[in-house]
Amino acid sequence: MRFRTVVLVALLHVSACAFDGSNQVASSDSGFGSEPDAPTSGGDGGANQSDAGELGCQNFASLFNACAIEPTSGDLALTLSGTYTFNTDNGVLEDPAGDPVETQSAEVSALNGTIRVLMTNSFVLGRDSALRAEGDLPFAIGAFETLSIEGLLDVGRGGAGARSNCEEGNGSAGGDLRGGAGGGGGGAFQGAGGNGGLGNGDGNTQGERGIGGTADNALPASPLGGCPGGDGGEGEDDGGSGGDGGGAIYLSSGTQVVISGGIQAAGDGAQGGRESGGGFADAGGGGGGSGGYIFIEAPTVVISGAIAANGGGGGEGSGDGDQGNDGQPGSLNAIAASGGADGSPTGSDGGAGSFGAVLAGLSVDVAENGGAGGGGGGAGFIIIAADNAMLAGSISPPAL
């Protein structure tokens, strides 16, 4: 397996000292890949924050200037049982009881837009804890020392940075047809979305299929979330909504990143075709959302847990008066998310989402008499940049 030692700009393969607040850079909004200021001499021969070791702070991150963001006081340990939430739009972290946790974060400009960086000296997410990040901005955690994920770090299913519109990555909507609507196309990112199915298989006119989003094999220049699936077409009832794409997470440490728990950036499963009673329904299922984005960089990266950016399953079409079942959200392991099935006798099943080295979502090729199933979501991106990578866990799709 190949691991990137250069990502857009040269990584700084050095250990970082703990942050020295007296040497902090004035601005907390540093540009993409920016370096700390060059050393300067004053009348007393002093040096600024960019000098290594005892002379001050040394940047370690490739996509932001770690020395320009004051870190959270002390070491940040999230160990309470339950789910913490972090809002990337306002930088507020709440514990499982809903109480705020004091942290330091900053909005930082990157090539694909602004990201929110939570800065720490060291970071640990406990084994009985989860951290869910939500908001429009992608989420990043920077740590001068060890960054450890023992629990679940979650930006999947419309989490932080998931996109609502990806243009060519969006799955298109299924066609409307009262006798049997088409299924929505799956969302795409690294992998293509699956096509939705044709509805009204026993009729002279079929409900048109939604087309899966187009894969983009170019490595994103900075954190970027996944893409949504298309809605199912309207029959006698509404089509199912397409699944949201996965969000974007970026972890950077000056020493090591250790993951014994999980990082989830999978796409969501789509709704099945709706049924309101009193008719055949015959609505299309939505397309599954694509996987999102995970980027991990440090001199040493150790993964014994699971990280995933898989696609979600497409929704089942409704028919014969029965609602279609929803597709499953993308798995945390290298297992396909199943499309919706077994809810309607005349609606076709949804397509499965991407998994492992299978980057494309599954298309729906069977046309039943009612509404059609939606296509599965395609894979997102996982990027690992390390001099020393020990990867014994599950990584789906494979890391670049």
Side-chain angles (χ1 to χ4, degrees), residues 22-321:
S22 65
N23 292 323
Q24 181 185 4
V25 175
S27 172
S28 65
D29 189 5
S30 114
F32 171 85
S34 60
E35 301 287 336
D37 295 338
T40 58
S41 296
D44 59 358
N48 74 358
Q49 83 293 333
S50 65
D51 294 299
E54 71 278 8
L55 296 181
C57 177
Q58 188 168 1
N59 186 38
F60 56 83
S62 65
L63 300 186
F64 61 87
N65 184 351
C67 298
I69 307 171
E70 182 178 358
T72 301
S73 178
D75 300 324
L76 183 56
L78 307 182
T79 57
L80 293 179
S81 179
T83 300
Y84 293 79
T85 59
F86 185 81
N87 187 315
T88 61
D89 296 331
N90 59 22
V92 173
L93 174 66
E94 294 182 346
D95 69 17
D99 296 323
V101 179
E102 184 176 351
T103 59
Q104 291 287 346
S105 68
E107 294 184 8
V108 176
S109 296
L111 289 184
N112 285 324
T114 303
I115 63 176
R116 171 72 68 173
V117 181
L118 175 63
M119 199 66 212
T120 67
N121 280 315
S122 69
F123 179 90
V124 59
L125 180 65
R127 61 180 300 176
D128 296 322
S129 305
L131 173 58
R132 168 73 177 174
E134 298 180 335
D136 292 337
L137 303 182
F139 183 39
I141 302 175
F144 286 92
E145 299 176 3
T146 297
L147 196 165
S148 177
I149 306 297
E150 300 171 7
L152 177 64
L153 176 55
D154 181 17
V155 294
R157 310 172 316 285
R163 289 179 284 171
S164 60
N165 185 4
C166 302
E167 298 181 356
E168 294 183 358
N170 289 352
S172 66
D176 299 338
L177 187 68
R178 189 172 179 82
F189 201 6
Q190 182 183 186
N195 295 330
L198 294 169
N200 194 32
D202 60 345
N204 294 324
T205 302
Q206 276 74 54
E208 294 185 3
R209 69 174 78 239
I211 303 302
T214 301
D216 184 356
N217 300 124
L219 195 68
S222 61
L224 196 63
C227 302
D231 294 340
E234 181 179 347
E236 292 187 18
D237 284 301
D238 293 336
S241 297
D244 292 328
I249 178 69
Y250 166 37
L251 304 180
S252 183
S253 167
T255 58
Q256 62 177 349
V257 174
V258 180
I259 300 167
S260 57
I263 301 177
Q264 176 65 288
D268 203 0
Q271 281 188 332
R274 304 290 87 187
E275 186 276 323
S276 60
F280 290 106
D282 289 345
S290 84
Y293 172 104
I294 300 171
F295 176 24
I296 302 170
E297 67 173 356
T300 296
V301 173
V302 181
I303 299 176
S304 59
I307 60 176
N310 297 317
E316 179 188 18
S318 62
D320 203 24

